[in-house]
PDB file of all heavy atoms in Angstrom:
ATOM      1  N   ASN D 238    -154.883 -72.784-143.235  1.00  0.00           N
ATOM      2  CA  ASN D 238    -153.741 -71.888-143.495  1.00  0.00           C
ATOM      3  C   ASN D 238    -154.111 -70.681-144.349  1.00  0.00           C
ATOM      4  O   ASN D 238    -153.376 -69.718-144.391  1.00  0.00           O
ATOM      5  CB  ASN D 238    -152.582 -72.640-144.100  1.00  0.00           C
ATOM      6  CG  ASN D 238    -151.977 -73.615-143.104  1.00  0.00           C
ATOM      7  OD1 ASN D 238    -151.986 -73.380-141.905  1.00  0.00           O
ATOM      8  ND2 ASN D 238    -151.453 -74.732-143.591  1.00  0.00           N
ATOM      9  N   ASP D 239    -155.245 -70.751-145.027  1.00  0.00           N
ATOM     10  CA  ASP D 239    -155.695 -69.635-145.866  1.00  0.00           C
ATOM     11  C   ASP D 239    -156.666 -68.715-145.100  1.00  0.00           C
ATOM     12  O   ASP D 239    -157.039 -67.672-145.618  1.00  0.00           O
ATOM     13  CB  ASP D 239    -156.410 -70.155-147.109  1.00  0.00           C
ATOM     14  CG  ASP D 239    -155.475 -70.941-148.011  1.00  0.00           C
ATOM     15  OD1 ASP D 239    -154.287 -70.573-148.074  1.00  0.00           O
ATOM     16  OD2 ASP D 239    -155.932 -71.910-148.641  1.00  0.00           O
ATOM     17  N   ALA D 240    -157.057 -69.112-143.907  1.00  0.00           N
ATOM     18  CA  ALA D 240    -158.033 -68.345-143.137  1.00  0.00           C
ATOM     19  C   ALA D 240    -157.428 -67.051-142.577  1.00  0.00           C
ATOM     20  O   ALA D 240    -156.240 -67.026-142.205  1.00  0.00           O
ATOM     21  CB  ALA D 240    -158.577 -69.195-141.985  1.00  0.00           C
ATOM     22  N   ASP D 241    -158.254 -66.013-142.530  1.00  0.00           N
ATOM     23  CA  ASP D 241    -157.803 -64.754-141.906  1.00  0.00           C
ATOM     24  C   ASP D 241    -157.459 -64.945-140.445  1.00  0.00           C
ATOM     25  O   ASP D 241    -156.542 -64.336-139.920  1.00  0.00           O
ATOM     26  CB  ASP D 241    -158.898 -63.676-142.029  1.00  0.00           C
ATOM     27  CG  ASP D 241    -158.988 -63.093-143.415  1.00  0.00           C
ATOM     28  OD1 ASP D 241    -158.214 -63.485-144.309  1.00  0.00           O
ATOM     29  OD2 ASP D 241    -159.871 -62.227-143.620  1.00  0.00           O
ATOM     30  N   GLU D 242    -158.267 -65.773-139.771  1.00  0.00           N
ATOM     31  CA  GLU D 242    -158.109 -66.073-138.351  1.00  0.00           C
ATOM     32  C   GLU D 242    -158.010 -67.590-138.179  1.00  0.00           C
ATOM     33  O   GLU D 242    -159.003 -68.241-137.869  1.00  0.00           O
ATOM     34  CB  GLU D 242    -159.265 -65.523-137.550  1.00  0.00           C
ATOM     35  CG  GLU D 242    -159.464 -64.009-137.668  1.00  0.00           C
ATOM     36  CD  GLU D 242    -158.373 -63.221-136.965  1.00  0.00           C
ATOM     37  OE1 GLU D 242    -157.715 -63.761-136.059  1.00  0.00           O
ATOM     38  OE2 GLU D 242    -158.150 -62.051-137.371  1.00  0.00           O
ATOM     39  N   PRO D 243    -156.812 -68.180-138.398  1.00  0.00           N
ATOM     40  CA  PRO D 243    -156.715 -69.635-138.452  1.00  0.00           C
ATOM     41  C   PRO D 243    -157.177 -70.386-137.182  1.00  0.00           C
ATOM     42  O   PRO D 243    -157.831 -71.396-137.285  1.00  0.00           O
ATOM     43  CB  PRO D 243    -155.203 -69.886-138.697  1.00  0.00           C
ATOM     44  CG  PRO D 243    -154.681 -68.609-139.239  1.00  0.00           C
ATOM     45  CD  PRO D 243    -155.553 -67.520-138.681  1.00  0.00           C
ATOM     46  N   ILE D 244    -156.801 -69.874-136.008  1.00  0.00           N
ATOM     47  CA  ILE D 244    -157.161 -70.613-134.775  1.00  0.00           C
ATOM     48  C   ILE D 244    -158.675 -70.570-134.537  1.00  0.00           C
ATOM     49  O   ILE D 244    -159.301 -71.637-134.345  1.00  0.00           O
ATOM     50  CB  ILE D 244    -156.387 -70.049-133.550  1.00  0.00           C
ATOM     51  CG1 ILE D 244    -154.873 -70.171-133.790  1.00  0.00           C
ATOM     52  CG2 ILE D 244    -156.822 -70.754-132.270  1.00  0.00           C
ATOM     53  CD1 ILE D 244    -154.372 -71.581-134.048  1.00  0.00           C
ATOM     54  N   PRO D 245    -159.336 -69.402-134.564  1.00  0.00           N
ATOM     55  CA  PRO D 245    -160.786 -69.413-134.432  1.00  0.00           C
ATOM     56  C   PRO D 245    -161.475 -70.181-135.553  1.00  0.00           C
ATOM     57  O   PRO D 245    -162.519 -70.834-135.344  1.00  0.00           O
ATOM     58  CB  PRO D 245    -161.187 -67.940-134.462  1.00  0.00           C
ATOM     59  CG  PRO D 245    -159.959 -67.199-134.042  1.00  0.00           C
ATOM     60  CD  PRO D 245    -158.821 -68.023-134.567  1.00  0.00           C
ATOM     61  N   PHE D 246    -160.894 -70.167-136.749  1.00  0.00           N
ATOM     62  CA  PHE D 246    -161.471 -70.922-137.870  1.00  0.00           C
ATOM     63  C   PHE D 246    -161.461 -72.403-137.560  1.00  0.00           C
ATOM     64  O   PHE D 246    -162.493 -73.079-137.685  1.00  0.00           O
ATOM     65  CB  PHE D 246    -160.682 -70.643-139.171  1.00  0.00           C
ATOM     66  CG  PHE D 246    -161.112 -71.500-140.325  1.00  0.00           C
ATOM     67  CD1 PHE D 246    -162.288 -71.248-140.998  1.00  0.00           C
ATOM     68  CD2 PHE D 246    -160.354 -72.589-140.719  1.00  0.00           C
ATOM     69  CE1 PHE D 246    -162.715 -72.047-142.059  1.00  0.00           C
ATOM     70  CE2 PHE D 246    -160.753 -73.392-141.800  1.00  0.00           C
ATOM     71  CZ  PHE D 246    -161.937 -73.094-142.462  1.00  0.00           C
ATOM     72  N   ILE D 247    -160.346 -72.935-137.131  1.00  0.00           N
ATOM     73  CA  ILE D 247    -160.255 -74.383-136.895  1.00  0.00           C
ATOM     74  C   ILE D 247    -161.122 -74.777-135.683  1.00  0.00           C
ATOM     75  O   ILE D 247    -161.685 -75.876-135.629  1.00  0.00           O
ATOM     76  CB  ILE D 247    -158.813 -74.892-136.777  1.00  0.00           C
ATOM     77  CG1 ILE D 247    -158.736 -76.401-137.094  1.00  0.00           C
ATOM     78  CG2 ILE D 247    -158.209 -74.601-135.412  1.00  0.00           C
ATOM     79  CD1 ILE D 247    -159.100 -76.772-138.500  1.00  0.00           C
ATOM     80  N   LYS D 248    -161.255 -73.878-134.707  1.00  0.00           N
ATOM     81  CA  LYS D 248    -162.155 -74.147-133.577  1.00  0.00           C
ATOM     82  C   LYS D 248    -163.584 -74.277-134.067  1.00  0.00           C
ATOM     83  O   LYS D 248    -164.328 -75.161-133.621  1.00  0.00           O
ATOM     84  CB  LYS D 248    -162.069 -73.034-132.534  1.00  0.00           C
ATOM     85  CG  LYS D 248    -160.782 -73.088-131.707  1.00  0.00           C
ATOM     86  CD  LYS D 248    -160.684 -71.935-130.732  1.00  0.00           C
ATOM     87  CE  LYS D 248    -161.795 -71.969-129.737  1.00  0.00           C
ATOM     88  NZ  LYS D 248    -161.763 -70.853-128.800  1.00  0.00           N
ATOM     89  N   ALA D 249    -163.996 -73.398-134.987  1.00  0.00           N
ATOM     90  CA  ALA D 249    -165.343 -73.486-135.553  1.00  0.00           C
ATOM     91  C   ALA D 249    -165.515 -74.780-136.350  1.00  0.00           C
ATOM     92  O   ALA D 249    -166.551 -75.457-136.255  1.00  0.00           O
ATOM     93  CB  ALA D 249    -165.636 -72.292-136.435  1.00  0.00           C
ATOM     94  N   VAL D 250    -164.466 -75.169-137.085  1.00  0.00           N
ATOM     95  CA  VAL D 250    -164.532 -76.421-137.859  1.00  0.00           C
ATOM     96  C   VAL D 250    -164.644 -77.609-136.919  1.00  0.00           C
ATOM     97  O   VAL D 250    -165.424 -78.548-137.176  1.00  0.00           O
ATOM     98  CB  VAL D 250    -163.301 -76.536-138.774  1.00  0.00           C
ATOM     99  CG1 VAL D 250    -163.240 -77.921-139.436  1.00  0.00           C
ATOM    100  CG2 VAL D 250    -163.294 -75.443-139.839  1.00  0.00           C
ATOM    101  N   MET D 251    -163.912 -77.597-135.812  1.00  0.00           N
ATOM    102  CA  MET D 251    -164.016 -78.701-134.832  1.00  0.00           C
ATOM    103  C   MET D 251    -165.429 -78.778-134.268  1.00  0.00           C
ATOM    104  O   MET D 251    -165.956 -79.885-134.079  1.00  0.00           O
ATOM    105  CB  MET D 251    -162.977 -78.489-133.717  1.00  0.00           C
ATOM    106  CG  MET D 251    -161.554 -78.681-134.213  1.00  0.00           C
ATOM    107  SD  MET D 251    -160.287 -78.151-133.036  1.00  0.00           S
ATOM    108  CE  MET D 251    -160.622 -79.200-131.658  1.00  0.00           C
ATOM    109  N   ALA D 252    -166.046 -77.621-134.027  1.00  0.00           N
ATOM    110  CA  ALA D 252    -167.435 -77.621-133.512  1.00  0.00           C
ATOM    111  C   ALA D 252    -168.393 -78.133-134.569  1.00  0.00           C
ATOM    112  O   ALA D 252    -169.359 -78.835-134.256  1.00  0.00           O
ATOM    113  CB  ALA D 252    -167.817 -76.191-133.080  1.00  0.00           C
ATOM    114  N   ILE D 253    -168.125 -77.835-135.828  1.00  0.00           N
ATOM    115  CA  ILE D 253    -168.954 -78.364-136.937  1.00  0.00           C
ATOM    116  C   ILE D 253    -168.834 -79.869-136.955  1.00  0.00           C
ATOM    117  O   ILE D 253    -169.859 -80.592-137.078  1.00  0.00           O
ATOM    118  CB  ILE D 253    -168.507 -77.744-138.286  1.00  0.00           C
ATOM    119  CG1 ILE D 253    -168.949 -76.273-138.353  1.00  0.00           C
ATOM    120  CG2 ILE D 253    -169.072 -78.546-139.457  1.00  0.00           C
ATOM    121  CD1 ILE D 253    -168.316 -75.498-139.507  1.00  0.00           C
ATOM    122  N   ARG D 254    -167.623 -80.405-136.850  1.00  0.00           N
ATOM    123  CA  ARG D 254    -167.437 -81.865-136.863  1.00  0.00           C
ATOM    124  C   ARG D 254    -168.128 -82.526-135.672  1.00  0.00           C
ATOM    125  O   ARG D 254    -168.748 -83.577-135.818  1.00  0.00           O
ATOM    126  CB  ARG D 254    -165.928 -82.221-136.891  1.00  0.00           C
ATOM    127  CG  ARG D 254    -165.199 -81.693-138.110  1.00  0.00           C
ATOM    128  CD  ARG D 254    -165.782 -82.185-139.417  1.00  0.00           C
ATOM    129  NE  ARG D 254    -165.013 -81.682-140.537  1.00  0.00           N
ATOM    130  CZ  ARG D 254    -165.520 -81.243-141.685  1.00  0.00           C
ATOM    131  NH1 ARG D 254    -166.836 -81.243-141.838  1.00  0.00           N
ATOM    132  NH2 ARG D 254    -164.770 -80.810-142.635  1.00  0.00           N
ATOM    133  N   ASP D 255    -168.064 -81.882-134.510  1.00  0.00           N
ATOM    134  CA  ASP D 255    -168.799 -82.427-133.340  1.00  0.00           C
ATOM    135  C   ASP D 255    -170.284 -82.440-133.621  1.00  0.00           C
ATOM    136  O   ASP D 255    -170.968 -83.421-133.339  1.00  0.00           O
ATOM    137  CB  ASP D 255    -168.506 -81.576-132.107  1.00  0.00           C
ATOM    138  CG  ASP D 255    -167.159 -81.862-131.453  1.00  0.00           C
ATOM    139  OD1 ASP D 255    -166.549 -82.900-131.779  1.00  0.00           O
ATOM    140  OD2 ASP D 255    -166.724 -81.051-130.618  1.00  0.00           O
ATOM    141  N   ALA D 256    -170.784 -81.356-134.160  1.00  0.00           N
ATOM    142  CA  ALA D 256    -172.237 -81.256-134.453  1.00  0.00           C
ATOM    143  C   ALA D 256    -172.666 -82.335-135.437  1.00  0.00           C
ATOM    144  O   ALA D 256    -173.745 -82.912-135.314  1.00  0.00           O
ATOM    145  CB  ALA D 256    -172.573 -79.863-134.977  1.00  0.00           C
ATOM    146  N   GLN D 257    -171.821 -82.592-136.428  1.00  0.00           N
ATOM    147  CA  GLN D 257    -172.141 -83.645-137.398  1.00  0.00           C
ATOM    148  C   GLN D 257    -172.239 -85.025-136.731  1.00  0.00           C
ATOM    149  O   GLN D 257    -172.956 -85.902-137.227  1.00  0.00           O
ATOM    150  CB  GLN D 257    -171.079 -83.706-138.508  1.00  0.00           C
ATOM    151  CG  GLN D 257    -171.154 -82.513-139.448  1.00  0.00           C
ATOM    152  CD  GLN D 257    -170.024 -82.515-140.462  1.00  0.00           C
ATOM    153  OE1 GLN D 257    -168.851 -82.703-140.144  1.00  0.00           O
ATOM    154  NE2 GLN D 257    -170.404 -82.308-141.732  1.00  0.00           N
ATOM    155  N   LYS D 258    -171.513 -85.203-135.630  1.00  0.00           N
ATOM    156  CA  LYS D 258    -171.577 -86.466-134.887  1.00  0.00           C
ATOM    157  C   LYS D 258    -172.640 -86.458-133.793  1.00  0.00           C
ATOM    158  O   LYS D 258    -172.759 -87.437-133.033  1.00  0.00           O
ATOM    159  CB  LYS D 258    -170.210 -86.736-134.249  1.00  0.00           C
ATOM    160  CG  LYS D 258    -169.081 -86.921-135.206  1.00  0.00           C
ATOM    161  CD  LYS D 258    -167.751 -87.027-134.468  1.00  0.00           C
ATOM    162  CE  LYS D 258    -166.583 -86.877-135.422  1.00  0.00           C
ATOM    163  NZ  LYS D 258    -165.318 -86.698-134.664  1.00  0.00           N
ATOM    164  N   GLY D 259    -173.349 -85.330-133.662  1.00  0.00           N
ATOM    165  CA  GLY D 259    -174.370 -85.221-132.639  1.00  0.00           C
ATOM    166  C   GLY D 259    -173.826 -84.907-131.268  1.00  0.00           C
ATOM    167  O   GLY D 259    -174.492 -85.103-130.242  1.00  0.00           O
ATOM    168  N   ILE D 260    -172.588 -84.417-131.212  1.00  0.00           N
ATOM    169  CA  ILE D 260    -171.921 -84.094-129.946  1.00  0.00           C
ATOM    170  C   ILE D 260    -172.061 -82.592-129.695  1.00  0.00           C
ATOM    171  O   ILE D 260    -171.688 -81.763-130.543  1.00  0.00           O
ATOM    172  CB  ILE D 260    -170.420 -84.474-130.009  1.00  0.00           C
ATOM    173  CG1 ILE D 260    -170.275 -85.968-130.254  1.00  0.00           C
ATOM    174  CG2 ILE D 260    -169.689 -84.040-128.727  1.00  0.00           C
ATOM    175  CD1 ILE D 260    -168.839 -86.378-130.568  1.00  0.00           C
ATOM    176  N   ALA D 261    -172.558 -82.215-128.547  1.00  0.00           N
ATOM    177  CA  ALA D 261    -172.647 -80.811-128.164  1.00  0.00           C
ATOM    178  C   ALA D 261    -171.255 -80.339-127.772  1.00  0.00           C
ATOM    179  O   ALA D 261    -170.641 -80.911-126.860  1.00  0.00           O
ATOM    180  CB  ALA D 261    -173.628 -80.623-127.032  1.00  0.00           C
ATOM    181  N   SER D 262    -170.755 -79.313-128.403  1.00  0.00           N
ATOM    182  CA  SER D 262    -169.403 -78.861-128.155  1.00  0.00           C
ATOM    183  C   SER D 262    -169.320 -77.710-127.173  1.00  0.00           C
ATOM    184  O   SER D 262    -168.302 -77.457-126.562  1.00  0.00           O
ATOM    185  CB  SER D 262    -168.714 -78.441-129.463  1.00  0.00           C
ATOM    186  OG  SER D 262    -169.341 -77.265-129.966  1.00  0.00           O
ATOM    187  N   GLY D 263    -170.398 -76.931-127.075  1.00  0.00           N
ATOM    188  CA  GLY D 263    -170.363 -75.735-126.227  1.00  0.00           C
ATOM    189  C   GLY D 263    -169.682 -74.571-126.917  1.00  0.00           C
ATOM    190  O   GLY D 263    -169.447 -73.528-126.310  1.00  0.00           O
ATOM    191  N   HIS D 264    -169.371 -74.729-128.194  1.00  0.00           N
ATOM    192  CA  HIS D 264    -168.669 -73.695-128.942  1.00  0.00           C
ATOM    193  C   HIS D 264    -169.569 -72.476-129.063  1.00  0.00           C
ATOM    194  O   HIS D 264    -170.769 -72.590-129.345  1.00  0.00           O
ATOM    195  CB  HIS D 264    -168.302 -74.203-130.338  1.00  0.00           C
ATOM    196  CG  HIS D 264    -167.669 -73.184-131.218  1.00  0.00           C
ATOM    197  ND1 HIS D 264    -166.362 -72.826-131.108  1.00  0.00           N
ATOM    198  CD2 HIS D 264    -168.179 -72.433-132.228  1.00  0.00           C
ATOM    199  CE1 HIS D 264    -166.066 -71.913-132.021  1.00  0.00           C
ATOM    200  NE2 HIS D 264    -167.167 -71.649-132.724  1.00  0.00           N
ATOM    201  N   LEU D 265    -169.021 -71.307-128.831  1.00  0.00           N
ATOM    202  CA  LEU D 265    -169.749 -70.053-128.986  1.00  0.00           C
ATOM    203  C   LEU D 265    -169.434 -69.447-130.341  1.00  0.00           C
ATOM    204  O   LEU D 265    -168.280 -69.046-130.559  1.00  0.00           O
ATOM    205  CB  LEU D 265    -169.426 -69.081-127.862  1.00  0.00           C
ATOM    206  CG  LEU D 265    -169.761 -69.545-126.447  1.00  0.00           C
ATOM    207  CD1 LEU D 265    -169.266 -68.523-125.434  1.00  0.00           C
ATOM    208  CD2 LEU D 265    -171.235 -69.754-126.311  1.00  0.00           C
ATOM    209  N   ALA D 266    -170.396 -69.362-131.196  1.00  0.00           N
ATOM    210  CA  ALA D 266    -170.196 -68.737-132.516  1.00  0.00           C
ATOM    211  C   ALA D 266    -170.144 -67.224-132.299  1.00  0.00           C
ATOM    212  O   ALA D 266    -171.004 -66.635-131.665  1.00  0.00           O
ATOM    213  CB  ALA D 266    -171.332 -69.099-133.452  1.00  0.00           C
ATOM    214  N   GLU D 267    -169.098 -66.611-132.839  1.00  0.00           N
ATOM    215  CA  GLU D 267    -168.927 -65.165-132.707  1.00  0.00           C
ATOM    216  C   GLU D 267    -169.552 -64.442-133.878  1.00  0.00           C
ATOM    217  O   GLU D 267    -169.284 -64.761-135.017  1.00  0.00           O
ATOM    218  CB  GLU D 267    -167.443 -64.823-132.577  1.00  0.00           C
ATOM    219  CG  GLU D 267    -166.804 -65.404-131.347  1.00  0.00           C
ATOM    220  CD  GLU D 267    -165.354 -64.991-131.214  1.00  0.00           C
ATOM    221  OE1 GLU D 267    -164.975 -63.919-131.716  1.00  0.00           O
ATOM    222  OE2 GLU D 267    -164.589 -65.778-130.629  1.00  0.00           O
ATOM    223  N   LEU D 268    -170.361 -63.459-133.586  1.00  0.00           N
ATOM    224  CA  LEU D 268    -170.967 -62.619-134.602  1.00  0.00           C
ATOM    225  C   LEU D 268    -170.661 -61.170-134.268  1.00  0.00           C
ATOM    226  O   LEU D 268    -170.861 -60.722-133.137  1.00  0.00           O
ATOM    227  CB  LEU D 268    -172.486 -62.824-134.650  1.00  0.00           C
ATOM    228  CG  LEU D 268    -172.950 -64.265-134.921  1.00  0.00           C
ATOM    229  CD1 LEU D 268    -174.476 -64.361-134.816  1.00  0.00           C
ATOM    230  CD2 LEU D 268    -172.486 -64.732-136.292  1.00  0.00           C
ATOM    231  N   ASP D 269    -170.164 -60.462-135.261  1.00  0.00           N
ATOM    232  CA  ASP D 269    -169.764 -59.067-135.057  1.00  0.00           C
ATOM    233  C   ASP D 269    -170.895 -58.141-135.477  1.00  0.00           C
ATOM    234  O   ASP D 269    -171.539 -58.375-136.479  1.00  0.00           O
ATOM    235  CB  ASP D 269    -168.511 -58.778-135.877  1.00  0.00           C
ATOM    236  CG  ASP D 269    -167.905 -57.436-135.561  1.00  0.00           C
ATOM    237  OD1 ASP D 269    -168.159 -56.918-134.471  1.00  0.00           O
ATOM    238  OD2 ASP D 269    -167.173 -56.924-136.417  1.00  0.00           O
ATOM    239  N   ALA D 270    -171.107 -57.108-134.701  1.00  0.00           N
ATOM    240  CA  ALA D 270    -172.066 -56.081-135.068  1.00  0.00           C
ATOM    241  C   ALA D 270    -171.479 -55.220-136.183  1.00  0.00           C
ATOM    242  O   ALA D 270    -170.267 -55.158-136.355  1.00  0.00           O
ATOM    243  CB  ALA D 270    -172.399 -55.208-133.875  1.00  0.00           C
ATOM    244  N   CYS D 271    -172.311 -54.590-136.954  1.00  0.00           N
ATOM    245  CA  CYS D 271    -171.856 -53.686-138.006  1.00  0.00           C
ATOM    246  C   CYS D 271    -171.753 -52.293-137.432  1.00  0.00           C
ATOM    247  O   CYS D 271    -172.736 -51.563-137.396  1.00  0.00           O
ATOM    248  CB  CYS D 271    -172.849 -53.688-139.173  1.00  0.00           C
ATOM    249  SG  CYS D 271    -173.068 -55.260-139.962  1.00  0.00           S
ATOM    250  N   ALA D 272    -170.598 -51.926-136.941  1.00  0.00           N
ATOM    251  CA  ALA D 272    -170.360 -50.581-136.398  1.00  0.00           C
ATOM    252  C   ALA D 272    -171.351 -50.276-135.269  1.00  0.00           C
ATOM    253  O   ALA D 272    -172.160 -49.368-135.380  1.00  0.00           O
ATOM    254  CB  ALA D 272    -170.436 -49.544-137.505  1.00  0.00           C
ATOM    255  N   SER D 273    -171.264 -51.029-134.194  1.00  0.00           N
ATOM    256  CA  SER D 273    -172.248 -50.937-133.120  1.00  0.00           C
ATOM    257  C   SER D 273    -172.362 -49.535-132.509  1.00  0.00           C
ATOM    258  O   SER D 273    -173.469 -49.102-132.149  1.00  0.00           O
ATOM    259  CB  SER D 273    -171.960 -51.965-132.034  1.00  0.00           C
ATOM    260  OG  SER D 273    -170.662 -51.757-131.496  1.00  0.00           O
ATOM    261  N   GLY D 274    -171.256 -48.817-132.401  1.00  0.00           N
ATOM    262  CA  GLY D 274    -171.344 -47.443-131.869  1.00  0.00           C
ATOM    263  C   GLY D 274    -172.176 -46.553-132.788  1.00  0.00           C
ATOM    264  O   GLY D 274    -173.018 -45.775-132.323  1.00  0.00           O
ATOM    265  N   LEU D 275    -171.940 -46.691-134.071  1.00  0.00           N
ATOM    266  CA  LEU D 275    -172.732 -45.905-135.038  1.00  0.00           C
ATOM    267  C   LEU D 275    -174.186 -46.370-135.029  1.00  0.00           C
ATOM    268  O   LEU D 275    -175.101 -45.538-135.214  1.00  0.00           O
ATOM    269  CB  LEU D 275    -172.164 -46.055-136.454  1.00  0.00           C
ATOM    270  CG  LEU D 275    -170.815 -45.350-136.714  1.00  0.00           C
ATOM    271  CD1 LEU D 275    -170.268 -45.736-138.080  1.00  0.00           C
ATOM    272  CD2 LEU D 275    -170.960 -43.854-136.571  1.00  0.00           C
ATOM    273  N   GLN D 276    -174.428 -47.653-134.801  1.00  0.00           N
ATOM    274  CA  GLN D 276    -175.812 -48.136-134.714  1.00  0.00           C
ATOM    275  C   GLN D 276    -176.535 -47.460-133.559  1.00  0.00           C
ATOM    276  O   GLN D 276    -177.666 -47.003-133.732  1.00  0.00           O
ATOM    277  CB  GLN D 276    -175.830 -49.648-134.521  1.00  0.00           C
ATOM    278  CG  GLN D 276    -175.453 -50.443-135.746  1.00  0.00           C
ATOM    279  CD  GLN D 276    -175.436 -51.945-135.500  1.00  0.00           C
ATOM    280  OE1 GLN D 276    -175.235 -52.400-134.369  1.00  0.00           O
ATOM    281  NE2 GLN D 276    -175.663 -52.707-136.544  1.00  0.00           N
ATOM    282  N   ILE D 277    -175.888 -47.359-132.432  1.00  0.00           N
ATOM    283  CA  ILE D 277    -176.504 -46.729-131.248  1.00  0.00           C
ATOM    284  C   ILE D 277    -176.777 -45.258-131.547  1.00  0.00           C
ATOM    285  O   ILE D 277    -177.862 -44.747-131.251  1.00  0.00           O
ATOM    286  CB  ILE D 277    -175.607 -46.898-130.007  1.00  0.00           C
ATOM    287  CG1 ILE D 277    -175.580 -48.374-129.601  1.00  0.00           C
ATOM    288  CG2 ILE D 277    -176.106 -46.026-128.848  1.00  0.00           C
ATOM    289  CD1 ILE D 277    -174.499 -48.731-128.609  1.00  0.00           C
ATOM    290  N   MET D 278    -175.812 -44.574-132.156  1.00  0.00           N
ATOM    291  CA  MET D 278    -176.021 -43.160-132.473  1.00  0.00           C
ATOM    292  C   MET D 278    -177.138 -42.992-133.484  1.00  0.00           C
ATOM    293  O   MET D 278    -177.942 -42.054-133.367  1.00  0.00           O
ATOM    294  CB  MET D 278    -174.722 -42.561-133.039  1.00  0.00           C
ATOM    295  CG  MET D 278    -173.671 -42.383-131.964  1.00  0.00           C
ATOM    296  SD  MET D 278    -172.058 -41.799-132.557  1.00  0.00           S
ATOM    297  CE  MET D 278    -172.424 -40.642-133.806  1.00  0.00           C
ATOM    298  N   ALA D 279    -177.270 -43.893-134.452  1.00  0.00           N
ATOM    299  CA  ALA D 279    -178.337 -43.809-135.457  1.00  0.00           C
ATOM    300  C   ALA D 279    -179.707 -43.920-134.793  1.00  0.00           C
ATOM    301  O   ALA D 279    -180.632 -43.161-135.111  1.00  0.00           O
ATOM    302  CB  ALA D 279    -178.181 -44.898-136.504  1.00  0.00           C
ATOM    303  N   VAL D 280    -179.818 -44.815-133.836  1.00  0.00           N
ATOM    304  CA  VAL D 280    -181.099 -45.001-133.118  1.00  0.00           C
ATOM    305  C   VAL D 280    -181.406 -43.792-132.263  1.00  0.00           C
ATOM    306  O   VAL D 280    -182.536 -43.269-132.253  1.00  0.00           O
ATOM    307  CB  VAL D 280    -181.077 -46.312-132.276  1.00  0.00           C
ATOM    308  CG1 VAL D 280    -182.280 -46.377-131.370  1.00  0.00           C
ATOM    309  CG2 VAL D 280    -180.996 -47.533-133.202  1.00  0.00           C
TER     310      VAL D 280
END
């Protein structure tokens, strides 16, 4: 309830609990780029 994104947060927690039990969950961890458009322009 304190999470910025409660539903994706609990999904990640469920995947953590599966991993602790040795169960493959298929959960995709989301990682955000740091201003990807600006990154492309910088390069």
Side-chain angles (χ1 to χ4, degrees):
N238 292 329
D239 296 325
D241 284 359
E242 301 290 337
I244 302 301
F246 173 76
I247 203 64
K248 286 177 62 181
V250 172
M251 291 168 62
I253 288 168
R254 299 303 182 221
D255 282 346
Q257 289 176 312
K258 297 174 194 168
I260 300 169
S262 68
H264 177 79
L265 298 176
E267 296 183 29
L268 302 175
D269 189 22
C271 299
S273 59
L275 289 173
Q276 287 177 334
I277 292 167
M278 288 175 39
V280 170

